[in-house]
């Protein structure tokens, strides 16, 4: 196995194309379903049964997400199966159950937290917005494809405060 210090986490929304990309570039990465994406799926179930922003939905959702984060996906998946049997005509339950069951191995949040791996992609998404989009998506900006990666390389060096180290190599 891979020692903890060598673990690489790939936090994604679970899309098939992302899994293929990880398979190609970093097949040993620990796959993590972004916790907010999982929570959104669970929230859709609660809202379909008890309504949006109702106390029963909030209570049920809080319990399910706490369990998911602290004990893993087994209890949540069991609950969704039970709700699916009780409400066979509520398509959103079946849809989200299938989605989450398929990604159960990527929702081992207690293990990830124990190993100090990220369970959300928010920091990466924010970094992309601050580092990449702020430089490349300004009003009126247009880029030739050949210039995007060199510009991003310079931007990353600057934003990571490594200019003095990198400039001699450039």
């Amino acid at each position: 196995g891979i020692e903890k210090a060598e673990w690489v986490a790939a936090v994604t929304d679970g899309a098939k194309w992302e899994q293929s990309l990880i398979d190609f570039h970093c097949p040993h990465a620990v796959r993590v379903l972004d916790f907010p994406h999982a929570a959104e799926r669970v929230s859709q179930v609660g809202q379909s049964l008890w309504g949006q922003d109702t106390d029963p939905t909030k209570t049920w959702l809080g319990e399910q997400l706490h369990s998911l984060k602290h004990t893993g996906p087994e209890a949540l998946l069991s609950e969704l199966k039970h709700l699916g049997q009780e409400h066979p005509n509520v398509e959103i339950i079946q849809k989200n159950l299938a989605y989450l069951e398929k990604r159960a191995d990527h929702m081992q949040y207690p293990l990830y937290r124990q190993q100090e791996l990220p369970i959300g992609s928010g920091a990466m998404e924010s970094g992309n917005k601050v580092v990449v989009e702020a430089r490349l998506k300004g009003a009126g900006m247009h880029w030739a494809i050949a210039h995007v990666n060199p510009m991003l390389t310079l931007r990353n060096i600057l934003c990571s405060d490594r200019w003095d180290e990198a400039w001699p190599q450039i």
Side-chain angles (χ1 to χ4, degrees):
I2 298 172
E3 296 296 322
K4 175 187 169 191
E6 299 173 25
W7 283 19
V8 174
V11 183
T12 71
D13 67 7
K16 287 182 184 180
W17 73 267
E18 290 174 324
Q19 301 309 311
S20 297
L21 191 68
I22 295 165
D23 288 341
F24 182 78
H25 289 287
C26 195
H28 68 279
V30 176
R31 316 299 171 97
V32 179
L33 178 63
D34 177 59
F35 189 82
H37 278 86
E40 182 180 342
R41 296 290 183 143
V42 179
S43 179
Q44 290 173 6
V45 172
Q47 290 175 20
S48 72
L49 295 175
W50 302 291
Q52 188 171 352
D53 295 326
T54 65
D55 287 339
T57 298
K58 290 176 186 178
T59 299
W60 178 84
L61 181 61
E63 291 168 356
Q64 299 310 310
L65 296 181
H66 184 271
S67 173
L68 178 60
K69 186 182 276 188
H70 296 282
T71 65
E74 294 77 19
L76 169 66
L77 295 175
S78 178
E79 169 73 1
L80 294 179
K81 285 177 192 173
H82 174 74
L83 290 172
Q85 291 168 351
E86 281 187 353
H87 307 275
N89 297 327
V90 181
E91 187 179 319
I92 198 81
I93 298 172
Q94 303 305 327
K95 178 182 173 188
N96 287 319
L97 172 59
Y99 177 91
L100 294 171
E101 279 182 323
K102 191 176 202 178
R103 293 155 179 85
D105 289 344
H106 304 171
M107 296 189 297
Q108 302 303 317
Y109 301 116
L111 173 64
Y112 306 148
R113 294 175 73 225
Q114 178 185 9
Q115 298 300 328
E116 299 178 356
L117 295 174
I119 63 170
S121 61
M124 182 62 68
E125 291 176 15
S126 177
N128 183 60
K129 188 176 291 186
V130 170
V131 175
V132 177
E133 292 181 19
R135 182 63 183 97
L136 297 181
K137 290 188 172 184
M141 289 186 175
H142 301 282
W143 294 91
I145 290 178
H147 300 154
V148 171
N149 282 340
M151 180 55 67
L152 288 179
T153 300
L154 293 172
R155 179 73 174 160
N156 278 306
I157 290 168
L158 181 66
C159 290
S160 62
D161 201 24
R162 295 179 52 218
W163 191 263
D164 291 337
E165 172 190 343
W167 182 248
Q169 297 173 22
I170 296 173

